[in-house]
Amino acid sequence: MRKKRLSLLLAPLVALGLTWPAAACGGGGSGAGGDEYVIGAALPLSGPAASFGMAYRKGIDGCVELVNESKDLPHPVTVKYVDTGAETAKGIAGFTQLATVDHATAVFSAYSSVTTALIPLAERHRVPLINGGALSPTLANKEWVWNTLPFLSTELGASLPYAKEQMPDAKKAMLVYQDDIVGKGAVDVVRKAWRGNGRTLATLPLTLSATSFSAQVDKIKAFDPDVIFMVFSGDPQAVLVRQLRSAGVTTQIIASSSFPVPAVLDLKEANGSLFTLQAMDFASQDPMTKGFLRTTGLKPGEGVIVGAANYCNGVLMWANAAKQLVTEGKEVDGPNLNEKFARQGSIDAVGGKLQLLPDHTLQAPISIYKIKDGAFTPVTTVEVTG
């Protein structure tokens, strides 16, 4: 495509108006048709993790709307979605379609096992991955992966010390974890942090596809833990919590950020459960936060809002890099975007400034919340440095 240097409009990303005027010529890499910029998204839009995927999609669509409203780019942005069902094989097929057929300039991904499997494809096709939902620390320091959230290790770095401080008499812990890369990684973190002072740890792996947990509940009840740490995902968590409480297990649950899905929050059995979540100021009056709330229709306090915001921030990161490339008369394509991501540092984002670290991760405070009657309130916020 013919390249032409264009000056950027200085309007903020939340300018009003949804229509797009006739586009001028600009940087290339704008998809197969050449008249739009294509971003891909390989998300779990069906299956047990669909509530997450749909929240992530809402965040992406909302911030693409903001970018298009701003008219800061010579072409509109469009998103091509593929459904992974949180399955690796579907993720690989979906990414291949997005990269080779749809000519996506970047691809959003979710779930650690899926995202990990896509890294070789991202490297081969030179299409960066943007992750706002996968929690595995193994995704750090990957040349073609950019993470807009803190990892599970950061969440556990808040919840484990909190449990030891607030429950000094708790000795027996059970870690219920999803049997994948992120869950298995949690085992080592929890075992190391929980040891000492007579404390013991038992572990129990679960599959994401499970629909009943009778045998697992029997094991938990037999172990009789003082605290249950939960690193699980998707709507099946609601079934597990219900079956635990029905079996008479009243043990305190301390879960991760994948816990507060609507199916769990709607359970009276979930009352009193604690979970960790990235701290984000949705009361901020900055244009990005206000625009995100307007275009997504999400409300502060909804369990899925932080995940949606992380994917929104990925869109804003993409747009910031794309605008720089257009200003420089360069192609808006995977390699050039990847190079700009590495040099961005911080951008205006939902909840304030988004600071990307040299290892392609985000360091953020972690809040601990308690569930009560379908809602949740913060208990404390912890600055985690490691």
Side-chain angles (χ1 to χ4, degrees), residues 171-206:
K171 301 300 181 183
K172 298 170 62 178
M174 171 74 81
L175 171 62
V176 179
Y177 67 95
Q178 189 165 303
D179 193 13
D180 63 3
I181 187 171
V182 67
K184 292 173 182 176
V187 174
D188 293 334
V189 175
V190 176
R191 181 175 286 123
K192 181 178 179 180
W194 189 250
R195 67 188 177 190
N197 198 28
R199 288 185 291 267
T200 59
L201 176 71
T203 60
L204 181 64
L206 304 175

Side-chain angles (χ1 to χ4, degrees), residues 36-60:
E36 59 185 10
Y37 297 105
V38 177
I39 300 174
L43 302 176
L45 301 176
S46 65
S51 58
F52 288 111
M54 296 307 295
Y56 301 158
R57 179 170 185 163
K58 184 170 288 190
I60 293 170

Side-chain angles (χ1 to χ4, degrees), residues 82-288:
V82 294
D83 177 18
T84 68
E87 297 177 19
T88 299
K90 290 182 179 179
I92 291 172
F95 181 94
T96 301
Q97 174 186 318
L98 293 169
T100 61
V101 178
D102 298 313
H103 303 284
T105 57
V107 173
F108 285 95
S109 182
Y111 272 77
S112 298
S113 56
V114 175
T115 304
T116 299
L118 297 185
I119 293 175
L121 297 177
E123 294 171 346
R124 184 183 314 150
H125 294 286
R126 296 169 64 81
V127 175
L129 290 167
I130 302 175
N131 163 46
L135 295 171
S136 175
T138 62
L139 297 173
N141 288 308
K142 302 299 182 184
E143 182 181 0
W144 291 88
V145 182
W146 300 89
N147 306 283
T148 62
L149 80 170
F151 291 134
L152 180 65
S153 53
T154 304
E155 293 189 33
L156 292 173
S159 61
L160 286 162
Y162 175 84
K164 290 161 68 175
E165 177 185 338
Q166 297 297 316
M167 306 173 64
D169 295 330
K171 301 300 181 183
K172 298 170 62 178
M174 171 74 81
L175 171 62
V176 179
Y177 67 95
Q178 189 165 303
D179 193 13
D180 63 3
I181 187 171
V182 67
K184 292 173 182 176
V187 174
D188 293 334
V189 175
V190 176
R191 181 175 286 123
K192 181 178 179 180
W194 189 250
R195 67 188 177 190
N197 198 28
R199 288 185 291 267
T200 59
L201 176 71
T203 60
L204 181 64
L206 304 175
T207 62
L208 179 61
S209 59
T211 57
S212 180
F213 302 94
S214 298
Q216 293 87 348
V217 167
D218 288 343
K219 291 180 180 179
I220 296 172
K221 190 171 183 178
F223 182 69
D224 191 24
D226 300 314
V227 59
I228 297 172
F229 295 108
M230 190 177 296
V231 179
F232 197 35
S233 186
D235 292 343
Q237 294 175 106
V239 179
L240 174 58
V241 172
R242 186 186 300 112
Q243 290 184 345
L244 279 171
R245 298 316 189 207
S246 296
V249 178
T250 59
T251 308
Q252 176 68 62
I253 293 173
I254 303 179
S256 67
S257 58
S258 56
F259 191 65
V261 293
V264 170
L265 294 176
D266 289 342
L267 282 179
K268 67 180 186 300
E269 293 90 344
N271 280 343
S273 298
L274 302 176
F275 65 90
T276 48
L277 193 62
Q278 174 186 344
M280 192 171 285
D281 183 12
F282 292 105
S284 174
Q285 294 302 300
D286 70 273
M288 298 301 108

